[in-house]
Coordinates of all heavy atoms in Angstrom, one line a residue:
M104 N 0.8 -1.2 0.0 CA 0.0 0.0 0.0 C 0.9 1.2 0.0 O 1.9 1.3 0.7 CB -0.9 0.0 1.2 CG -1.6 1.3 1.5 SD -2.4 1.5 3.0 CE -3.9 0.5 2.7
K105 N 0.6 2.2 -0.8 CA 1.3 3.5 -0.9 C 0.3 4.6 -0.3 O -0.9 4.6 -0.7 CB 1.7 3.8 -2.2 CG 2.9 2.9 -2.7 CD 3.6 3.5 -3.9 CE 4.7 2.6 -4.4 NZ 5.9 2.9 -3.8
I106 N 0.9 5.5 0.4 CA 0.2 6.6 1.0 C 0.8 7.9 0.6 O 2.1 8.0 0.7 CB 0.1 6.5 2.5 CG1 -0.7 5.2 2.9 CG2 -0.5 7.7 3.1 CD1 -0.7 5.0 4.4
H107 N 0.0 8.8 0.2 CA 0.6 10.2 -0.1 C -0.5 11.2 0.4 O -1.7 11.1 -0.1 CB 0.9 10.4 -1.6 CG 1.3 11.8 -1.9 ND1 2.6 12.3 -1.6 CD2 0.6 12.8 -2.4 CE1 2.6 13.5 -1.9 NE2 1.5 13.9 -2.5
K108 N -0.2 12.0 1.3 CA -1.1 13.0 1.8 C -0.4 14.4 1.8 O 0.8 14.5 2.2 CB -1.6 12.7 3.2 CG -2.4 11.4 3.3 CD -2.9 11.2 4.7 CE -3.7 9.9 4.8 NZ -5.1 10.1 4.5
E109 N -1.2 15.4 1.5 CA -0.7 16.8 1.4 C -1.3 17.6 2.6 O -2.2 17.1 3.3 CB -1.0 17.4 0.1 CG -0.4 16.7 -1.1 CD 1.1 17.1 -1.3 OE1 1.5 18.2 -0.8 OE2 1.8 16.4 -2.0
L110 N -0.8 18.8 2.7 CA -1.2 19.7 3.8 C -2.7 19.9 3.9 O -3.3 19.8 5.0 CB -0.5 21.1 3.6 CG -0.9 22.2 4.6 CD1 -0.5 21.8 6.0 CD2 -0.3 23.5 4.2
I111 N -3.4 20.0 2.8 CA -4.8 20.2 2.8 C -5.6 19.1 3.5 O -6.6 19.3 4.2 CB -5.4 20.4 1.4 CG1 -6.8 21.0 1.4 CG2 -5.4 19.2 0.6 CD1 -6.8 22.5 1.8
E112 N -5.1 17.8 3.5 CA -5.7 16.7 4.1 C -5.2 16.6 5.6 O -5.9 15.9 6.4 CB -5.3 15.4 3.5 CG -5.7 15.3 2.0 CD -5.1 14.0 1.4 OE1 -5.7 13.0 1.5 OE2 -4.1 14.2 0.7
L113 N -4.1 17.3 6.0 CA -3.5 17.1 7.3 C -3.6 18.3 8.2 O -3.3 18.2 9.4 CB -2.0 16.7 7.1 CG -1.7 15.5 6.3 CD1 -0.2 15.4 5.9 CD2 -2.1 14.3 7.1
I114 N -4.1 19.4 7.7 CA -4.0 20.7 8.5 C -4.8 20.5 9.8 O -4.3 21.1 10.8 CB -4.5 21.9 7.7 CG1 -4.2 23.2 8.3 CG2 -6.0 21.8 7.4 CD1 -2.7 23.5 8.3
G115 N -5.8 19.8 9.9 CA -6.6 19.7 11.1 C -5.9 18.8 12.2 O -6.5 18.7 13.3
Y116 N -4.8 18.2 11.9 CA -4.2 17.2 12.8 C -3.0 17.8 13.6 O -2.3 17.0 14.2 CB -3.8 15.9 12.1 CG -5.0 15.2 11.5 CD1 -5.3 15.3 10.2 CD2 -5.9 14.5 12.4 CE1 -6.4 14.6 9.6 CE2 -7.0 13.9 11.9 CZ -7.3 13.9 10.5 OH -8.4 13.3 10.0
G117 N -2.8 19.1 13.5 CA -1.7 19.7 14.2 C -1.9 19.5 15.8 O -3.0 19.5 16.2
Q118 N -0.8 19.5 16.5 CA -0.8 19.3 18.0 C 0.1 20.3 18.6 O 1.1 20.7 18.0 CB -0.4 17.9 18.4 CG -1.4 16.9 18.0 CD -2.7 16.9 18.7 OE1 -2.7 17.4 19.9 NE2 -3.7 16.4 18.1
H119 N -0.2 20.8 19.8 CA 0.7 21.7 20.5 C 1.2 21.0 21.8 O 0.5 20.7 22.7 CB -0.1 23.0 20.9 CG 0.7 24.0 21.5 ND1 1.5 24.9 20.7 CD2 0.9 24.4 22.8 CE1 2.1 25.7 21.6 NE2 1.8 25.4 22.8
W120 N 2.6 20.8 21.8 CA 3.2 20.2 23.0 C 4.5 21.0 23.3 O 5.2 21.4 22.4 CB 3.6 18.8 22.7 CG 2.5 17.8 22.4 CD1 1.4 17.6 23.1 CD2 2.4 17.0 21.2 NE1 0.6 16.6 22.5 CE2 1.2 16.3 21.3 CE3 3.1 16.8 20.1 CZ2 0.7 15.4 20.4 CZ3 2.7 15.9 19.1 CH2 1.5 15.2 19.3
N121 N 4.8 21.2 24.5 CA 6.0 21.9 25.0 C 6.3 23.2 24.2 O 7.4 23.4 23.8 CB 7.2 20.9 24.9 CG 7.1 19.8 25.9 OD1 6.1 19.5 26.5 ND2 8.2 19.1 26.1
D122 N 5.3 24.0 24.1 CA 5.4 25.3 23.5 C 5.8 25.3 22.0 O 6.3 26.2 21.4 CB 6.5 26.2 24.2 CG 6.1 26.5 25.6 OD1 4.8 26.6 25.9 OD2 6.9 26.7 26.5
I123 N 5.5 24.2 21.3 CA 5.7 24.0 19.9 C 4.5 23.4 19.3 O 3.9 22.5 19.8 CB 6.9 23.1 19.6 CG1 8.2 23.6 20.2 CG2 7.1 22.9 18.1 CD1 9.4 22.7 20.0
T124 N 4.0 24.0 18.2 CA 2.9 23.4 17.4 C 3.5 22.6 16.3 O 4.3 23.1 15.5 CB 2.0 24.5 16.9 OG1 1.5 25.3 18.0 CG2 0.8 24.0 16.1
F125 N 3.1 21.3 16.3 CA 3.5 20.4 15.3 C 2.4 20.2 14.2 O 1.3 19.8 14.5 CB 3.8 19.0 15.9 CG 4.9 19.0 16.9 CD1 4.7 19.5 18.2 CD2 6.2 18.5 16.6 CE1 5.8 19.4 19.1 CE2 7.2 18.4 17.5 CZ 7.0 18.9 18.8
V126 N 2.7 20.6 13.0 CA 1.7 20.5 11.9 C 2.3 19.7 10.8 O 3.2 20.0 10.1 CB 1.4 21.9 11.4 CG1 0.3 21.8 10.3 CG2 0.9 22.9 12.5
P127 N 1.7 18.5 10.6 CA 2.1 17.6 9.5 C 1.8 18.3 8.2 O 0.6 18.8 8.0 CB 1.4 16.3 9.7 CG 0.2 16.7 10.5 CD 0.6 17.9 11.3
T128 N 2.7 18.3 7.2 CA 2.4 19.0 5.9 C 2.5 18.0 4.8 O 1.9 18.3 3.7 CB 3.5 20.1 5.7 OG1 4.8 19.6 5.7 CG2 3.3 21.2 6.7
Q129 N 3.1 16.9 5.0 CA 3.1 15.8 3.9 C 3.5 14.5 4.5 O 4.4 14.4 5.4 CB 4.1 16.2 2.8 CG 4.1 15.3 1.6 CD 5.1 15.7 0.5 OE1 5.3 16.9 0.4 NE2 5.6 14.8 -0.2
I130 N 2.8 13.5 4.0 CA 3.1 12.1 4.4 C 3.3 11.3 3.1 O 2.4 11.3 2.2 CB 2.0 11.5 5.3 CG1 1.9 12.2 6.6 CG2 2.2 10.0 5.5 CD1 0.7 11.7 7.4
D131 N 4.4 10.5 3.0 CA 4.6 9.5 2.0 C 5.0 8.2 2.6 O 6.0 8.3 3.5 CB 5.7 10.0 1.0 CG 5.2 11.2 0.2 OD1 4.3 11.0 -0.6 OD2 5.8 12.3 0.3
A132 N 4.4 7.2 2.3 CA 4.7 5.9 3.0 C 4.4 4.7 2.0 O 3.6 4.8 1.1 CB 3.9 5.7 4.2
D133 N 5.2 3.7 2.2 CA 4.9 2.4 1.5 C 4.7 1.4 2.6 O 4.5 1.7 3.8 CB 6.0 2.1 0.5 CG 7.4 1.9 1.1 OD1 7.5 1.7 2.3 OD2 8.4 2.1 0.3
D134 N 4.9 0.1 2.3 CA 4.6 -0.9 3.3 C 5.7 -1.0 4.4 O 5.5 -1.7 5.4 CB 4.5 -2.3 2.6 CG 3.2 -2.4 1.8 OD1 2.2 -1.8 2.2 OD2 3.2 -3.1 0.8
E135 N 6.9 -0.4 4.2 CA 7.9 -0.5 5.2 C 8.4 0.8 5.7 O 8.7 1.0 6.9 CB 9.1 -1.2 4.6 CG 8.9 -2.7 4.3 CD 10.2 -3.4 3.8 OE1 11.3 -2.8 4.0 OE2 10.1 -4.4 3.2
T136 N 8.6 1.8 4.8 CA 9.2 3.1 5.3 C 8.3 4.3 5.0 O 7.3 4.2 4.3 CB 10.5 3.3 4.5 OG1 10.2 3.4 3.1 CG2 11.5 2.2 4.8
C137 N 8.7 5.4 5.6 CA 7.8 6.6 5.4 C 8.7 7.8 5.6 O 9.8 7.8 6.1 CB 6.7 6.6 6.4 SG 7.3 6.8 8.1
T138 N 8.2 8.9 5.0 CA 8.7 10.3 5.2 C 7.6 11.2 5.6 O 6.5 11.2 5.0 CB 9.3 10.8 3.9 OG1 10.3 9.9 3.4 CG2 9.9 12.2 4.0
V139 N 7.8 11.9 6.8 CA 6.8 12.8 7.3 C 7.4 14.2 7.3 O 8.5 14.3 8.0 CB 6.3 12.4 8.7 CG1 5.3 13.4 9.2 CG2 5.7 11.0 8.6
K140 N 6.8 15.1 6.6 CA 7.3 16.5 6.7 C 6.4 17.3 7.6 O 5.2 17.1 7.6 CB 7.3 17.1 5.3 CG 8.3 16.5 4.4 CD 8.3 17.1 3.0 CE 9.3 16.4 2.1 NZ 9.2 17.0 0.7
M141 N 7.1 18.1 8.5 CA 6.3 18.9 9.5 C 6.8 20.3 9.5 O 7.9 20.6 9.3 CB 6.5 18.3 10.9 CG 5.8 17.0 11.1 SD 5.2 17.0 12.7 CE 4.6 15.3 12.7
S142 N 5.8 21.2 9.8 CA 6.1 22.6 10.2 C 6.1 22.7 11.7 O 5.1 22.2 12.3 CB 5.1 23.5 9.5 OG 5.3 23.6 8.1
L143 N 7.1 23.2 12.3 CA 7.2 23.3 13.7 C 7.1 24.8 14.0 O 8.0 25.6 13.5 CB 8.4 22.7 14.3 CG 8.7 21.3 13.9 CD1 10.1 20.8 14.4 CD2 7.6 20.4 14.4
V144 N 6.1 25.3 14.8 CA 5.9 26.7 15.0 C 6.2 26.9 16.5 O 5.5 26.3 17.4 CB 4.5 27.1 14.7 CG1 4.3 28.6 14.9 CG2 4.1 26.7 13.2
D145 N 7.1 27.8 16.8 CA 7.4 28.0 18.3 C 6.6 29.2 18.8 O 5.8 29.8 18.1 CB 8.9 28.2 18.5 CG 9.5 29.5 17.8 OD1 8.7 30.4 17.4 OD2 10.7 29.6 17.7
M146 N 6.9 29.6 20.0 CA 6.1 30.7 20.7 C 6.3 32.0 20.0 O 5.4 32.9 20.1 CB 6.5 30.7 22.2 CG 6.1 29.5 23.0 SD 4.4 29.2 23.0 CE 3.9 30.5 24.2
D147 N 7.4 32.2 19.3 CA 7.7 33.5 18.6 C 7.1 33.5 17.2 O 7.4 34.3 16.4 CB 9.2 33.8 18.6 CG 9.7 34.0 20.0 OD1 9.0 34.5 20.8 OD2 10.9 33.5 20.2
Q148 N 6.3 32.4 16.9 CA 5.7 32.2 15.6 C 6.8 32.0 14.5 O 6.5 32.2 13.3 CB 4.8 33.4 15.2 CG 3.7 33.7 16.1 CD 2.8 32.5 16.2 OE1 2.3 31.9 15.2 NE2 2.4 32.0 17.4
E149 N 8.0 31.5 14.9 CA 9.0 31.2 13.9 C 8.7 29.7 13.4 O 8.5 28.8 14.2 CB 10.4 31.3 14.5 CG 10.8 32.7 14.8 CD 12.2 32.8 15.2 OE1 13.0 31.9 14.9 OE2 12.5 33.8 15.9
I150 N 8.7 29.5 12.1 CA 8.4 28.2 11.5 C 9.7 27.5 11.1 O 10.5 28.1 10.4 CB 7.5 28.4 10.3 CG1 6.2 29.1 10.8 CG2 7.2 27.1 9.7 CD1 5.2 29.5 9.6
T151 N 9.8 26.3 11.5 CA 10.9 25.4 11.1 C 10.4 24.2 10.4 O 9.4 23.6 10.9 CB 11.7 25.0 12.4 OG1 12.1 26.1 13.1 CG2 12.9 24.2 12.0
E152 N 10.9 23.9 9.3 CA 10.5 22.7 8.5 C 11.4 21.5 9.0 O 12.6 21.7 9.0 CB 10.6 22.9 7.0 CG 9.8 24.1 6.5 CD 8.3 23.8 6.7 OE1 7.8 22.7 6.6 OE2 7.6 24.8 6.9
K153 N 10.8 20.4 9.3 CA 11.5 19.2 9.7 C 11.0 18.0 8.9 O 9.8 17.9 8.7 CB 11.3 19.0 11.2 CG 11.9 17.8 11.8 CD 13.1 18.2 12.6 CE 13.6 16.9 13.2 NZ 14.9 17.0 13.9
V154 N 12.0 17.1 8.6 CA 11.6 15.9 7.9 C 12.0 14.7 8.7 O 13.2 14.6 9.2 CB 12.4 15.8 6.5 CG1 12.1 14.5 5.8 CG2 12.0 17.0 5.6
F155 N 11.1 13.8 9.0 CA 11.3 12.6 9.7 C 11.2 11.4 8.8 O 10.2 11.4 8.0 CB 10.2 12.4 10.8 CG 10.2 13.5 11.9 CD1 9.4 14.6 11.7 CD2 11.0 13.4 13.0 CE1 9.3 15.6 12.7 CE2 11.0 14.4 13.9 CZ 10.1 15.5 13.8
Q156 N 12.2 10.5 8.8 CA 12.2 9.4 7.9 C 12.5 8.1 8.7 O 13.2 8.2 9.7 CB 13.2 9.5 6.8 CG 12.9 10.7 5.8 CD 14.0 10.8 4.7 OE1 15.1 10.8 5.0 NE2 13.5 10.8 3.5
G157 N 12.0 7.0 8.2 CA 12.3 5.8 8.9 C 11.3 4.7 8.6 O 10.4 4.8 7.7
K158 N 11.4 3.6 9.4 CA 10.5 2.5 9.2 C 9.3 2.7 10.2 O 9.5 3.2 11.3 CB 11.2 1.2 9.5 CG 12.2 0.8 8.5 CD 12.8 -0.5 8.7 CE 13.8 -0.9 7.5 NZ 14.1 -2.3 7.5
H159 N 8.2 2.3 9.7 CA 7.0 2.3 10.6 C 6.6 0.9 11.0 O 7.0 -0.1 10.4 CB 5.9 3.1 9.9 CG 5.4 2.4 8.6 ND1 4.6 1.3 8.5 CD2 5.7 2.7 7.3 CE1 4.4 1.0 7.3 NE2 5.1 1.8 6.5
E160 N 5.7 0.9 12.0 CA 5.2 -0.4 12.4 C 3.7 -0.4 12.2 O 2.9 0.3 12.9 CB 5.5 -0.7 13.9 CG 5.1 -2.0 14.4 CD 5.6 -2.3 15.8 OE1 6.7 -1.9 16.1 OE2 4.8 -3.0 16.5
N161 N 3.2 -1.1 11.2 CA 1.8 -1.2 10.9 C 1.2 0.2 10.6 O 0.1 0.5 11.1 CB 1.0 -2.0 11.9 CG -0.3 -2.4 11.4 OD1 -0.5 -2.6 10.2 ND2 -1.3 -2.6 12.3
F162 N 1.9 1.1 9.9 CA 1.6 2.4 9.6 C 1.5 3.4 10.8 O 0.8 4.4 10.7 CB 0.3 2.4 8.7 CG 0.6 1.8 7.4 CD1 0.2 0.5 7.1 CD2 1.2 2.6 6.4 CE1 0.5 -0.1 5.9 CE2 1.4 2.0 5.1 CZ 1.1 0.7 4.9
I163 N 2.1 3.0 11.9 CA 2.3 3.9 13.0 C 3.8 4.2 13.1 O 4.6 3.4 13.2 CB 1.8 3.3 14.4 CG1 0.4 2.8 14.3 CG2 2.0 4.2 15.5 CD1 -0.7 3.9 14.1
F164 N 4.1 5.5 13.0 CA 5.5 6.0 12.9 C 5.8 6.8 14.2 O 5.1 7.8 14.5 CB 5.7 6.8 11.7 CG 7.1 7.3 11.5 CD1 8.1 6.4 11.5 CD2 7.4 8.6 11.3 CE1 9.4 6.8 11.3 CE2 8.7 9.1 11.1 CZ 9.7 8.2 11.1
Q165 N 6.8 6.4 14.9 CA 7.2 7.1 16.1 C 8.3 8.1 15.8 O 9.3 7.8 15.1 CB 7.7 6.2 17.2 CG 6.5 5.3 17.7 CD 6.9 4.4 18.8 OE1 8.0 4.6 19.4 NE2 6.1 3.5 19.2
M166 N 8.3 9.3 16.4 CA 9.2 10.4 16.2 C 9.5 11.1 17.5 O 8.8 10.9 18.5 CB 8.6 11.4 15.3 CG 8.3 10.9 13.9 SD 7.3 12.1 13.0 CE 5.7 11.6 13.6
E167 N 10.6 11.9 17.5 CA 10.9 12.7 18.7 C 11.5 14.0 18.2 O 12.3 14.0 17.3 CB 11.9 11.9 19.6 CG 12.3 12.6 20.8 CD 13.2 11.8 21.7 OE1 13.5 10.7 21.5 OE2 13.6 12.4 22.8
H168 N 11.1 15.1 18.9 CA 11.7 16.4 18.7 C 11.7 17.2 20.0 O 10.6 17.2 20.7 CB 10.9 17.1 17.6 CG 11.4 18.5 17.4 ND1 12.6 18.7 16.6 CD2 11.0 19.7 17.8 CE1 12.8 20.0 16.6 NE2 11.9 20.6 17.3
N169 N 12.8 17.7 20.4 CA 12.9 18.5 21.7 C 12.3 17.7 22.9 O 11.5 18.3 23.6 CB 12.3 19.8 21.5 CG 13.1 20.8 20.8 OD1 14.2 20.5 20.3 ND2 12.7 22.1 20.7
D170 N 12.7 16.5 23.0 CA 12.3 15.6 24.1 C 10.8 15.3 24.1 O 10.2 14.9 25.1 CB 12.7 16.2 25.5 CG 14.2 16.2 25.6 OD1 14.9 15.3 25.1 OD2 14.7 17.2 26.3
V171 N 10.1 15.6 23.0 CA 8.7 15.2 22.9 C 8.7 14.0 22.0 O 9.0 14.0 20.8 CB 7.9 16.4 22.2 CG1 6.4 15.9 22.0 CG2 8.0 17.6 23.0
K172 N 8.2 12.9 22.6 CA 8.0 11.7 21.8 C 6.6 11.6 21.4 O 5.7 11.7 22.2 CB 8.4 10.5 22.6 CG 9.9 10.4 23.0 CD 10.2 9.2 23.8 CE 11.7 9.2 24.2 NZ 12.1 8.1 25.0
F173 N 6.4 11.3 20.1 CA 5.0 11.3 19.6 C 5.0 10.3 18.4 O 6.0 9.9 17.9 CB 4.5 12.6 19.2 CG 5.3 13.4 18.2 CD1 4.8 13.4 16.8 CD2 6.4 14.0 18.5 CE1 5.6 14.1 15.9 CE2 7.2 14.7 17.5 CZ 6.7 14.7 16.2
C174 N 3.7 9.9 18.1 CA 3.6 9.0 16.9 C 2.5 9.6 16.0 O 1.6 10.4 16.5 CB 3.3 7.6 17.4 SG 1.7 7.4 18.2
I175 N 2.5 9.1 14.8 CA 1.5 9.6 13.8 C 1.0 8.3 13.1 O 1.7 7.4 12.7 CB 2.1 10.6 12.8 CG1 1.0 11.2 11.9 CG2 3.2 10.0 12.0 CD1 1.4 12.4 11.2
N176 N -0.3 8.3 13.0 CA -1.0 7.2 12.2 C -0.9 7.7 10.7 O -1.5 8.7 10.3 CB -2.4 7.0 12.6 CG -3.1 5.9 11.9 OD1 -2.9 5.8 10.7 ND2 -3.9 5.2 12.6
L177 N -0.1 7.0 9.9 CA 0.2 7.4 8.6 C -1.1 7.4 7.7 O -1.2 8.1 6.7 CB 1.3 6.6 8.0 CG 2.6 6.7 8.7 CD1 3.6 5.6 8.2 CD2 3.2 8.0 8.6
K178 N -2.0 6.5 8.0 CA -3.2 6.4 7.2 C -4.2 7.5 7.5 O -4.9 8.0 6.6 CB -3.9 5.1 7.5 CG -3.2 3.8 7.0 CD -3.9 2.6 7.4 CE -3.1 1.3 6.9 NZ -3.8 0.1 7.3
T179 N -4.3 8.0 8.8 CA -5.3 9.0 9.1 C -4.7 10.4 9.4 O -5.4 11.4 9.3 CB -6.0 8.6 10.4 OG1 -5.1 8.6 11.5 CG2 -6.7 7.3 10.2
G180 N -3.4 10.5 9.7 CA -2.7 11.7 10.1 C -2.9 12.1 11.5 O -2.3 13.1 12.0
V181 N -3.5 11.3 12.3 CA -3.7 11.6 13.7 C -2.4 11.4 14.5 O -1.7 10.4 14.3 CB -4.8 10.7 14.4 CG1 -4.9 10.9 15.9 CG2 -6.2 11.0 13.7
M182 N -2.1 12.4 15.3 CA -0.8 12.4 16.1 C -1.2 12.3 17.6 O -2.1 12.9 18.0 CB 0.0 13.7 15.9 CG 0.6 13.8 14.5 SD 1.8 15.1 14.3 CE 1.0 16.5 14.9
R183 N -0.3 11.6 18.3 CA -0.5 11.4 19.7 C 0.8 11.5 20.4 O 1.8 10.9 19.9 CB -1.2 10.1 20.1 CG -2.6 10.0 19.6 CD -3.3 8.8 20.0 NE -4.6 8.8 19.3 CZ -5.7 8.4 19.8 NH1 -5.6 7.9 21.0 NH2 -6.8 8.4 19.2
K184 N 0.8 12.1 21.6 CA 2.1 12.1 22.4 C 2.2 10.8 23.0 O 1.3 10.2 23.5 CB 1.9 13.2 23.4 CG 3.2 13.5 24.2 CD 3.1 14.7 25.1 CE 4.3 15.0 25.8 NZ 4.2 16.2 26.7
I185 N 3.5 10.3 23.1 CA 3.8 9.0 23.7 C 4.1 9.3 25.2 O 5.1 10.1 25.5 CB 4.9 8.3 23.0 CG1 4.5 8.0 21.6 CG2 5.3 7.0 23.8 CD1 5.7 7.4 20.8
R186 N 3.3 8.8 26.1 CA 3.6 9.0 27.5 C 4.3 7.8 28.0 O 3.9 6.7 27.9 CB 2.3 9.2 28.2 CG 1.6 10.5 27.9 CD 0.3 10.7 28.5 NE -0.5 11.9 28.4 CZ -0.6 12.7 27.4 NH1 0.2 12.5 26.3 NH2 -1.3 13.8 27.4
E187 N 5.4 8.1 28.7 CA 6.2 7.0 29.3 C 5.7 6.8 30.7 O 5.5 7.7 31.5 CB 7.7 7.4 29.3 CG 8.2 7.5 27.9 CD 9.7 7.8 27.9 OE1 10.3 8.0 29.0 OE2 10.3 8.0 26.8
H188 N 5.6 5.5 31.0 CA 5.1 5.1 32.4 C 6.3 4.6 33.1 O 7.1 3.7 32.7 CB 4.1 4.0 32.3 CG 2.9 4.4 31.6 ND1 1.9 5.2 32.1 CD2 2.4 4.2 30.3 CE1 0.9 5.5 31.3 NE2 1.2 4.8 30.1
H189 N 6.6 5.2 34.3 CA 7.7 4.8 35.1 C 7.2 4.0 36.3 O 6.4 4.6 37.1 CB 8.5 6.0 35.6 CG 9.0 6.8 34.5 ND1 10.1 6.5 33.8 CD2 8.6 8.0 33.9 CE1 10.4 7.4 32.8 NE2 9.5 8.3 32.9
D190 N 7.6 2.8 36.5 CA 7.1 2.0 37.6 C 8.1 2.0 38.7 O 9.2 2.1 38.6 CB 6.9 0.5 37.1 CG 5.7 0.5 36.1 OD1 4.8 1.3 36.2 OD2 5.7 -0.4 35.2

């Protein structure tokens, strides 16, 4: 399966964590690997473009930026923060 999504399909899935807004702008994936492009907007409204690449697990791709661990569902564009449980 190949996936290609552009900003118009992803704009509603932005998230705000640790004073940074993460907005996915493009997703390209096949059955093993993916590329996720994001715009990162800080508190001063400065925009940084970042590209995450790697292997995904069942179309769930985990990423990290500035100590924020999160994942994105490549099929839907939904992003969630990964919370670590310390026992």
Side-chain angles (χ1 to χ4, degrees):
M104 169 190 282
K105 290 198 182 263
I106 295 174
H107 176 77
K108 293 182 183 271
E109 295 283 338
L110 176 62
I111 197 72
E112 299 172 85
L113 300 168
I114 194 72
Y116 295 106
Q118 294 288 334
H119 186 80
W120 299 304
N121 291 14
D122 296 331
I123 299 174
T124 301
F125 296 79
V126 180
T128 57
Q129 185 175 332
I130 294 174
D131 288 298
D133 60 23
D134 290 331
E135 290 184 21
T136 61
C137 66
T138 301
V139 177
K140 295 181 181 178
M141 290 218 183
S142 291
L143 309 175
V144 185
D145 65 15
M146 294 298 284
D147 297 324
Q148 300 300 310
E149 291 185 25
I150 300 172
T151 304
E152 300 297 325
K153 177 106 177 170
V154 177
F155 299 92
Q156 293 180 308
K158 293 188 177 194
H159 59 79
E160 187 172 323
N161 199 26
F162 293 97
I163 304 296
F164 183 56
Q165 294 187 10
M166 299 166 275
E167 182 175 355
H168 179 76
N169 281 7
D170 296 326
V171 177
K172 293 180 182 180
F173 59 102
C174 64
I175 187 167
N176 182 321
L177 300 170
K178 292 179 181 178
T179 64
V181 174
M182 293 191 307
R183 294 183 186 220
K184 189 173 182 180
I185 298 172
R186 291 173 174 37
E187 295 181 1
H188 299 282
H189 301 283
D190 293 330

